Structure formats: C-alpha cells, structure tokens
C-alpha cells in the first residue's frame, strides 16, 4: 500500500517535471490517471461495503449497577426489556413484542452503556454500529450494510447459543432523518431497509433481534421510525442531577485511591452541567495529576484542578505579558466582585493561568442544581457577565477584546428573558416575534444592565488595583482569601441592585 502510493506520487512528480519541460503533452495523461484513480476508489468502496459494523464483544459485561444516576431511565429500560426476557408469557398473551428502543439525550450521558447493560440483562449478544457508517456516496451500500448487520446479529447469536441479539445503532439521526429531505436517495434507502428488517421480525423468530438506537435529535427523526412496532419505546437519558453526579463519581472512583480529604459530594455540587463522560474525564484527569506529582493518592485539590481542566482545557504554554496579566486579573476581579455581592460565598477561586482558550476565569460553586430562573436572577447573571469588561473600563478607561464571550453569554441571557416573557414586551410568542423587535429589546436590556453593573463596581474602583497585583503574583486565589479581601474594604455607596442571591454562572468563557 505504502509503496503503491509512493510510486503514484513519484510518477506524478516525474510527469509534472516532463510537462514543465514540454517534453510530453501532460493534460491527456493526467485525465487518464484521474479516471483510473476514480475507478479504483469505486471498486475499493464496493468491496468495503460488507463488513463495517464494529463487532464489539458479543458480551459487553456491563451491568446496570455500573451506570450512575439515570434511575428512571434504567427503570423504564428494564421494564421494556422484561418483554424480551419473558418472551414466552408475552407470546401466550398475544402481546406485540418490542422491536426497537430509542434512547434520547445529550452526548456522554450513558446511552451506549445502557445498551450494553441491556444486552447483559437479557443475556443477548451485542452488535453496534453508528449511523454515519451507513452513509456512503454510493446508492445501495447503506441498505446492504443494514441487511448484513441483521444477518450477522442472528449468526452471532446462534454461534454463542443465545436466543436473542441486541443491535445498537448510535447516531440514528444520520440515517433516520425525515425522508425525502436529502439530496440523494442513499439515506432513504438505508432507512427503508432498517424499517423492512424491523417489520420482518416476529416474536416466534429465534434468535430474536432487538434494535436499540441513540440520538440527541429525536425531533428530526422520520415519523415512520416512531410508529408502533418500530421504535415505540422512547427513553430519555438526561444530564445527571447532583445526586446522579454523586452516584456516578462513586462508581468511577471505586478503584482509585482517594485521600481522606476528598469530598465527592462537594465535587458533585461543583460540576453542575457535567455529563457522565465529563465526570469520567474529570476522575481520570485527577488521577493523572496525582501521577505527575508522584503521589500515591488523589486529593481534593487535584480534583479541583481537574475540574478546571475539563471545563477550560489544558493549561497552555502561552505566557501573556505582565501588562496583559494585570488586565486579566482586573477583569476577573470584576466578575468575582459582582458575583460575590449577588450570591455571597460562592466564588470558588480566581485564576489567571491561561487554559484552553481562556486567559483567566472565576469559578463558582453552584448552590444547588437549578432549573427555573426569575427575571432578577437572569439580570444578576448578566451583571456578572458584564462585570469583567466594566472593571477594565473603570480601571484603565478602555476595554479589550477579552470580553467577547462574556457578551455572547450576556446577550443569550437577555434573549432568554425576552422569550420567557420577562422583558418590557411582556408575554411573547417566540415564533411570531419579529427578529428586529427581539434585537431591540435585547439591546435595551443589555444597556440597562451595563449601567447597573457599572454602578455596582464603581465603589471598588480604587481597591481593585492592589488586589489585582496580588492575583498576578499568586496566579490563583482561593475563594476564602478573596472574601477576606472583600470584607476588608468599605465601599462607600452600594446600589440597590447589589442585593439578593444570584444563580451560578460558571464563567467558562474562552477569552476571559
Ligand atoms: P453516550 O452513548 O450517551 O454518548 P456513553 O455511554 O458512551 O455516552 O458514555 C461515555 C463514558 O462516560 C462511559 O464509558 C462512562 O465512562 C461514562 N459515563 C457516561 N454516563 C455514565 C453514567 N451514567 N454512569 C457511569 N459512567 C458514565
Ligand atoms: Mg455513545
Ligand atoms: Zn470575562
């Protein structure tokens, strides 16, 4: 293979050279070569059509106990799977078998794990494929692959002496999108084939094949997929709540040596919005930090650094100038001051070590998972987001490019306010709200909150400087130290806006 490619490359180079010297007419030769390559690729694709589905282990050996949180999803799934486990009874009562189960939810929440656990629970063989594997440039390949997948599932089950198989199709939306919307028929044919296979299955068939599929876009699926006798069970697998995160963390740290000071509950609280996959990355990162520091145990502080890393990315080698560092410190202090005023005790730490895209950030400890926000809470989050650039403005008399993401966040919050009927416009119908009016109201909200935020920060103007120097020296400052500093100051005027409690607004903004 390598040699072949090398020869082709060398041949082309020689031809190009000759062509340059006008020794040979190069265009017709190039045309012929192009034709040859095209043919070769086509043949290659045709040959590759048969075996693609990753034949993951026939028995994945994952049980429901290894899946944290997701109690209701697990319960629902187990209930559906009992139809498969007690097929004889189902048959004698004439109940239609479940042929397909659709798992919906954001990436990394454990959908693949669920499918594997389902195979263990029902003592089935397990095959998995991904929607994108069926999509080829050549019509017919996808359909052929679907047919092949079912054939191999049955063959595998027979070989392993099982009377059922589970086929897991990840990213089903790639092939299962609404039919007739694609530029060519390949997707449609693949989907049709999948439906045909599912329609052809019956309870009496042995081995029985259950199709499980996953997507985070159930809304775009062709309705034919969701009809009875196809994917008629839909199970939502959502991001875990605090209890769920704690459960997942317990599972993931089972085999890790944890120091005495590790407080998994605290970590669960700090990781609002994390998926199971992100928690897995977090635990892994913490262990890597322990390894790098040559420690035998993973400590709470390592977990803290790991959260930063998962949220913001790896520390970068970038070394900003001292002037830039001071500006970043001033900016972050702006965020931290406003957020501490809004919700005392929640700044976890302030750091100006560049990570990923961010030059610095303030991390907050959310009090509790929150799903509903009042108008005041949204406004306060906007205040926190705008505080970075306003601190720069108060201190330097100008702003920088570092606040771009803060603005994105602030305007998205303002948009939420309008859409949820919490703006001057009152109740609105999102669908019929003209873009211009929305934009105008968003701008109004932002201008008003900008004024309020400036008023909140004004009294701290002269003190920020000294503490910013301290932050630059230390690189990272703990929440408790920051709070001591806040208390040591007596800002003269405090506006009424700086009251009540604000929600968590984890500053995960690339930039600062
Ligand atoms: P999805 O299929 O929803 O994208 P996966 O099942 O592939 O997510 O999860 C990826 C990884 O994240 C798993 O291998 C596991 O380590 C971790 N993970 C995700 N969700 C959970 C969970 N609920 N419990 C335990 N681990 C989880
Ligand atoms: Mg997955
Ligand atoms: Zn910022």
């Amino acid at each position: 293979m390598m040699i072949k490619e090398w020869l082709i490359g060398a041949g082309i180079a020689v031809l190009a050279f000759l062509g340059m010297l006008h020794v040979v007419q190069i265009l017709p030769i190039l045309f012929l070569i192009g034709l040859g390559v095209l043919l070769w690729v086509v043949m290659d694709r045709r040959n590759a059509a048969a075996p693609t589905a990753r034949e993951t282990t026939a028995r994945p050996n994952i049980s429901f106990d290894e899946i944290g949180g997701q109690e209701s999803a697990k319960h629902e799934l187990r209930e559906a799977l009992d139809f498969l486990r007690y097929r004889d009874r189902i048959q004698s009562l004439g109940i239609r078998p479940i042929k397909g189960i659709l798992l919906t939810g954001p990436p990394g929440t454990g959908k693949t794990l669920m499918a594997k656990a389902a195979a263990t629970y029902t003592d089935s063989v397990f095959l998995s494929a991904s929607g994108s594997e069926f999509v080829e440039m050549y019509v017919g390949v996808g359909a052929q692959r679907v047919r092949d997948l079912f054939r191999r599932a049955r063959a595998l089950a027979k070989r392993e002496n099982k009377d059922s198989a589970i086929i897991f199709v990840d990213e089903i939306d790639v092939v299962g999108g609404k039919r007739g919307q694609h530029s060519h028929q390949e997707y449609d044919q693949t989907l049709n084939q999948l439906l045909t296979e599912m329609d052809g299955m019956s309870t009496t068939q042995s081995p029985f094949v259950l199709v499980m599929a996953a997507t985070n876009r159930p809304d775009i699926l062709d309705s034919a997929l969701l009809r009875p006798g196809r994917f008629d069970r839909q199970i939502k697998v959502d991001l875990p709540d605090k209890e769920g995160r704690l459960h997942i963390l317990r599972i993931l740290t089972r085999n890790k040596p944890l120091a005495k000071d590790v407080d998994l509950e605290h970590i669960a609280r700090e990781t609002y919005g994390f998926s199971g996959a992100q928690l897995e990355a977090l635990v892994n990162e913490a262990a890597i930090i322990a390894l790098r520091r040559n420690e035998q145990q993973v400590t709470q502080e390592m977990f803290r650094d790991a959260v930063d890393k998962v949220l913001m990315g790896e520390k970068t080698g970038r070394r900003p100038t001292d002037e830039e560092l001071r500006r970043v410190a001033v900016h972050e202090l702006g965020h931290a001051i406003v957020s501490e005023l809004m919700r005392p005790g929640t700044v976890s730490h302030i750091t100006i070590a560049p990570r990923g895209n961010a030059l610095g950030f303030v991390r907050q400890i959310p009090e509790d998972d929150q799903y509903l926000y009042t108008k005041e809470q949204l406004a306060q989050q906007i205040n926190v987001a705008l505080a970075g650039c306003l601190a720069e403005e108060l201190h330097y008399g100008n702003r920088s490019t570092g606040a771009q993401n803060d603005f994105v966040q602030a305007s998205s919050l303002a948009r939420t306010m309008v859409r949820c009927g919490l703006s001057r416009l009152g109740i609105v119908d999102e669908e019929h709200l003209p873009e211009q009016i929305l934009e105008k109201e968003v701008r109004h909200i932002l201008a008003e909150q900008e004024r309020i935020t400036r008023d909140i920060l004004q009294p701290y103007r002269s003190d920020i400087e000294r503490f910013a120097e301290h932050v630059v020296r230390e690189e990272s400052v703990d929440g408790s130290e920051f709070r001591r500093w806040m208390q040591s100051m007596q800002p003269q005027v405090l506006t009424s806006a700086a009251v009540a409690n604000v929600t968590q607004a984890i500053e995960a903004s690339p930039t600062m």
Side-chain angles (χ1 to χ4, degrees):
M1 194 65 175
M2 293 291 283
I3 292 176
K4 195 156 80 188
E5 270 156 15
W6 189 86
L7 278 177
I8 292 172
I12 290 172
V14 169
L15 268 174
F17 181 67
L18 291 177
M20 248 162 37
L21 296 176
H22 298 284
V23 174
V24 289
Q25 273 288 328
I26 192 164
L27 278 178
I29 298 179
L30 277 183
F31 177 74
L32 280 177
I33 290 178
L35 210 64
V37 168
L38 201 70
L39 260 174
W40 177 61
V41 170
V42 170
M43 297 306 289
D44 211 45
R45 287 300 158 113
R46 284 276 161 191
N47 290 342
T52 48
R54 284 158 280 137
E55 206 145 320
T56 6
T57 42
R59 271 157 295 171
N61 272 332
I62 298 248
S63 78
F64 281 117
D65 293 338
E66 285 158 72
I67 303 174
Q70 311 299 0
E71 289 313 319
S72 65
K74 283 198 297 194
H75 178 76
E76 248 183 285
L77 180 55
R78 238 178 274 158
E79 225 170 51
L81 292 172
D82 284 339
F83 277 65
L84 192 70
R85 294 221 312 183
Y86 309 115
R87 258 198 303 156
D88 305 345
R89 290 212 50 210
I90 301 287
Q91 246 174 64
S92 66
L93 288 170
I95 297 175
R96 177 162 45 75
I98 289 185
K99 295 179 179 175
I101 298 174
L102 183 64
L103 304 172
T104 65
T109 45
K111 296 184 291 299
T112 309
L113 286 182
M114 293 257 191
K116 289 182 176 170
T120 311
Y121 184 69
T122 55
D123 194 27
S124 308
V125 294
F126 181 80
L127 258 83
S128 83
S130 167
S132 50
E133 287 170 36
F134 295 112
V135 182
E136 283 282 342
M137 279 160 69
Y138 307 99
V139 177
V141 174
Q144 191 188 324
R145 280 184 188 160
V146 171
R147 226 172 293 135
D148 195 58
L149 188 58
F150 278 79
R151 194 176 45 71
R152 276 186 308 124
R154 291 194 187 96
L156 191 63
K158 277 196 187 120
R159 203 165 69 221
E160 301 266 328
N161 250 332
K162 303 278 169 87
D163 67 353
S164 56
I166 288 183
I167 292 180
F168 176 61
V169 184
D170 212 350
E171 302 175 52
I172 184 120
D173 44 293
V174 176
V175 290
K178 298 195 171 72
R179 277 175 290 187
Q181 286 187 345
H182 304 288
S183 51
H184 57 77
Q185 303 174 330
E186 178 60 2
Y187 298 79
D188 296 358
Q189 291 201 4
T190 308
L191 177 56
N192 285 340
Q193 188 60 43
L194 184 64
L195 296 176
T196 309
E197 292 287 348
M198 290 180 78
D199 288 345
M201 300 185 300
S202 70
T203 17
T204 48
Q205 208 164 35
S206 188
F208 184 78
V209 181
L210 174 73
V211 185
M212 292 184 71
T215 179
N216 54 356
R217 299 288 316 274
D219 51 310
I220 63 163
L221 290 186
D222 195 302
S223 59
L225 269 175
L226 307 175
R227 248 177 246 146
R230 288 157 180 182
F231 291 99
D232 46 7
R233 286 296 157 107
Q234 264 198 53
I235 296 176
K236 267 181 98 165
V237 188
D238 259 329
L239 288 176
D241 59 8
K242 198 178 86 193
E243 287 308 310
R245 292 194 296 275
L246 181 59
H247 188 185
I248 295 173
L249 284 168
R250 289 218 173 99
I251 292 171
L252 292 171
T253 52
R254 259 184 214 154
N255 59 353
K256 303 240 173 5
L258 299 185
K260 282 228 168 52
D261 71 334
V262 171
D263 180 356
L264 291 182
E265 207 160 331
H266 181 89
I267 301 169
R269 199 144 55 85
E270 265 195 327
T271 45
Y272 173 83
F274 272 44
S275 69
Q278 279 174 310
L279 291 173
E280 197 273 336
L282 163 72
V283 171
N284 197 48
E285 281 307 328
I288 289 175
I289 294 173
L291 178 78
R292 279 203 202 125
R293 297 193 195 158
N294 219 351
E295 304 267 351
Q296 303 302 315
Q297 289 184 322
V298 186
T299 65
Q300 184 74 3
E301 192 217 335
M302 294 174 191
F303 275 107
R304 198 193 76 181
D305 283 359
V307 173
D308 282 357
K309 165 129 191 240
V310 174
L311 271 179
M312 316 291 299
E314 182 71 89
K315 272 189 190 161
T316 50
R318 250 196 321 242
R319 174 75 197 163
T321 63
D322 285 352
E323 190 43 47
E324 281 171 327
L325 283 177
R326 210 164 304 119
R327 189 183 275 271
V328 176
V330 167
H331 178 108
E332 300 309 336
L333 278 175
H335 287 309
I337 290 170
V338 174
S339 125
E340 188 67 23
L341 286 173
M342 300 292 182
R343 231 175 38 144
T346 54
V347 169
S348 161
H349 64 278
I350 304 164
T351 166
I352 56 162
R355 242 179 215 289
N357 272 330
L359 292 170
F361 55 96
V362 176
R363 224 180 66 219
Q364 297 182 290
I365 314 163
E367 263 161 346
D368 262 311
D369 292 3
Q370 193 171 353
Y371 303 100
L372 280 178
Y373 298 90
T374 63
K375 177 182 175 178
E376 286 67 34
Q377 290 171 331
L378 290 173
Q380 288 170 343
Q381 288 191 36
I382 296 178
N383 295 151
V384 174
L386 296 179
C389 91
L390 288 171
E392 285 183 63
E393 190 185 278
L394 285 173
H395 185 76
Y396 290 105
N398 61 22
R399 301 176 178 186
S400 70
T401 53
Q404 201 182 346
N405 257 72
D406 296 339
F407 295 157
V408 173
Q409 199 187 350
S411 65
S412 132
L413 287 161
R415 225 165 281 266
T416 305
M417 234 187 221
V418 178
R419 285 207 200 100
C420 298
L422 302 174
S423 74
R424 286 185 312 178
L425 299 179
I427 298 171
V428 293
D429 174 356
E430 203 181 317
E431 244 175 75
H432 299 113
L433 183 66
E435 194 65 20
Q436 269 178 335
I437 297 184
L438 173 72
E439 282 311 314
K440 198 165 156 231
E441 187 58 20
V442 165
R443 270 206 302 279
H444 170 80
I445 294 171
L446 291 180
E448 190 175 71
Q449 295 308 325
E450 185 180 341
R451 190 175 46 71
I452 293 173
T453 313
R454 195 179 285 115
D455 287 349
I456 299 172
L457 277 175
Q458 187 74 40
Y460 295 90
R461 192 179 147 186
S462 49
D463 295 291
I464 283 183
E465 166 107 51
R466 214 161 23 91
F467 200 67
E469 285 300 332
H470 177 67
V471 175
V472 170
R473 265 196 313 276
E474 299 290 318
E475 193 178 274
S476 184
V477 170
D478 209 56
S480 50
E481 190 182 349
F482 169 69
R483 272 182 281 283
R484 276 201 298 282
W485 172 73
M486 285 274 291
Q487 273 151 20
S488 73
M489 289 183 313
Q490 259 110 41
Q492 298 82 3
V493 248
L494 263 192
T495 52
S496 56
V499 263
N501 56 337
V502 82
T503 55
Q504 85 288 333
I506 294 178
E507 229 261 274
S509 58
T511 47
M512 61 184 184

